[in-house]
Amino acid sequence: MLTDVWFVRSRRLAIALLIAVAWMLVVAATASADRPPRIVGGNTTTIAQHPWQAALVFDPAKKPGNDFQRQFCGGSLITTRIVLTAAHCVFDTDPGPLGLGTKLDPDDLDVVLGRTQLSGGGGEEHDVQRIEFHSGYNPATAEKDVGYVVLQAPSAQQRITIAGSDEFGLWRLGARTVVSGWGGTSEGGLGSDVLKEAVVPIIADATCETPGVYGTAFFRTTMVCAGFLEGGTDSCQGDSGGPLTTPAGGPRRLVGLVSFGEGCARANRPGVYSRAGCPPLRDDVAGDVFQLEAQEGLAHENVVGSGRGPCDETAPETAISKGPKKKLRTRKKRRRAKAKFVFSASEPGTRFECSVDG
Ligand code: 4AZ
């Protein structure tokens, strides 16, 4: 994998670029004024692009309105009968007479699959047989934020497989992943009737656990951050439990579940996702699904892609294989300089970031 980067150092060009960027911003702002709001920074999409995407909707007896008005969380179809979601979507939202530690009752919700526009009908609407969540879920810290919804009947929609260890290269640091859902289109705002998606790069654990980001609220073994430190694009309320996946163009795999964030799309507050694609959560999900299948008399279905080992966190080997050797000494020379660098990496898909000093 080779990437060419050109550096042009010229004040006039820089000014011209600034003017061009400013003009494009004005054009973009004008153009967006007559478009509907969407997942902060994302696009509308169709269920065909995310066929495993599920909507959790309250039962009409519990909340009036159409499926758009009753939607409260997302999920992913991982077997023909099981939808993976966030524990916080099904945990303690309906304490009932038993108080804390209970979960939604199966007849409190339905699951919509195979539908782009929630209010539009079509696709599948499922009754729920059973609800569970990860036995280690900690509602105070959001650790192990994983929940399960067992459908009363099998779905005909395409399911998604959780990324195995051989597939970790698809979503390691800097990789583009995709989050989708019908959640808020702005912080505190309304959801979207039409499914939306946003591309969100994976952010380093070391970045996410700095005090300026999430500090000690981020747990790297069970969470992963994705999004933009500058803000602007993110998942939001109502997207919870929904899929963070590898993008189209390669094998689609489930790598995370929408879990939490401080607000939506704020600077230095990227989305935090349950780290479904790595142990321990990946193994826990496989084990929980196996147990649910046995208890409910369902045929076993494999939910993990290739490789059962740990996520290998070591970064690919990188090198500058071509580039100028000497620093330019005078400012005049530096201003005029034009240089070409060629970077190489041991793995395809590697992204490079660099800064230049003379
Ligand atoms: C929520 O309230 C929520 N920015 C989900 C995801 C994010 C923020 C809030 C991520 O369910």
Side-chain angles (χ1 to χ4, degrees):
M1 158 80 188
L2 296 175
T3 309
D4 293 351
V5 181
W6 286 87
F7 294 100
V8 182
R9 311 205 90 209
S10 144
R11 192 172 295 167
R12 250 186 301 169
L13 188 66
I15 291 169
L17 265 172
L18 266 176
I19 292 171
V21 167
W23 183 77
M24 283 183 330
L25 282 175
V26 170
V27 169
T30 325
S32 65
D34 54 3
R35 266 187 274 133
R38 29 191 63 172
I39 202 174
V40 204
N43 312 286
T44 54
T45 183
T46 67
I47 200 73
Q49 304 300 310
H50 310 270
W52 42 79
Q53 171 85 50
L56 308 191
V57 303
F58 286 117
D59 188 87
K62 204 173 151 69
K63 192 174 181 181
N66 62 37
D67 284 338
F68 166 53
Q69 291 158 328
R70 288 186 279 113
Q71 187 268 347
F72 65 95
C73 267
S76 303
L77 188 72
I78 58 165
T79 78
T80 52
R81 290 283 295 274
I82 299 175
V83 166
L84 194 63
T85 186
H88 83 259
C89 286
V90 295
F91 179 84
D92 201 26
T93 42
D94 181 32
L98 294 177
L100 276 174
T102 61
K103 53 205 174 193
L104 279 181
D105 302 317
D107 57 7
D108 283 340
L109 77 160
D110 295 320
V111 175
V112 175
L113 284 155
R115 193 187 296 173
T116 299
Q117 185 183 359
L118 288 179
S119 70
E124 306 173 356
E125 188 135 4
H126 287 265
D127 289 328
V128 172
Q129 178 163 323
R130 180 169 170 185
I131 289 172
E132 291 299 337
F133 53 84
H134 194 297
S135 59
Y137 170 55
N138 184 340
T141 61
E143 287 170 282
K144 307 193 174 178
D145 192 5
V146 176
Y148 308 91
V149 181
V150 182
L151 309 176
Q152 284 189 12
S155 168
Q157 305 304 314
Q158 188 188 329
R159 61 194 187 94
I160 189 161
T161 305
I162 300 165
S165 48
D166 298 346
E167 296 155 336
F168 184 55
L170 297 172
W171 64 282
R172 69 160 41 123
L173 179 57
R176 288 161 201 279
T177 52
V178 180
V179 63
S180 47
W182 292 272
T185 54
S186 62
E187 187 177 327
L190 282 178
S192 171
D193 190 12
V194 172
L195 185 63
K196 296 174 305 177
E197 63 176 2
V199 173
V200 282
I202 298 289
I203 293 174
D205 297 336
T207 302
C208 225
E209 65 197 14
T210 56
V213 184
Y214 285 113
T216 55
F218 178 77
F219 294 80
R220 57 163 76 196
T221 55
T222 57
M223 300 173 183
V224 60
C225 275
F228 299 88
L229 293 180
E230 64 266 39
T233 299
D234 199 5
S235 49
C236 201
Q237 195 176 16
D239 292 320
S240 279
L244 181 72
T245 66
T246 55
R252 298 294 298 275
R253 291 288 183 268
L254 184 64
V255 304
L257 318 177
V258 179
S259 181
F260 72 94
E262 207 178 296
C264 303
R266 293 188 194 173
N268 294 316
R269 297 294 184 275
V272 184
Y273 298 81
S274 303
R275 201 177 192 106
C278 294
L281 290 188
R282 186 217 291 144
D283 302 332
D284 295 347
V285 171
D288 287 346
V289 166
F290 193 83
Q291 197 181 333
L292 282 171
E293 287 171 334
Q295 290 171 353
E296 301 300 317
L298 309 176
H300 176 60
E301 293 172 73
N302 170 44
V303 295
V304 179
S306 175
R308 294 291 181 278
C311 290
D312 171 17
E313 306 282 353
T314 57
E317 298 275 326
T318 60
I320 300 177
S321 41
K322 236 186 230 173
K325 300 246 155 38
K326 277 186 285 189
K327 261 195 178 184
L328 297 174
R329 254 185 271 267
T330 66
R331 262 184 40 190
K332 194 172 163 197
K333 277 188 180 162
R334 287 209 288 267
R335 233 187 298 146
R336 296 232 180 100
K338 200 172 165 189
K340 186 181 182 181
F341 292 86
V342 179
F343 298 91
S344 61
S346 60
E347 284 185 33
T350 306
R351 289 198 333 158
F352 295 92
E353 276 176 36
C354 53
S355 55
V356 202
D357 71 343

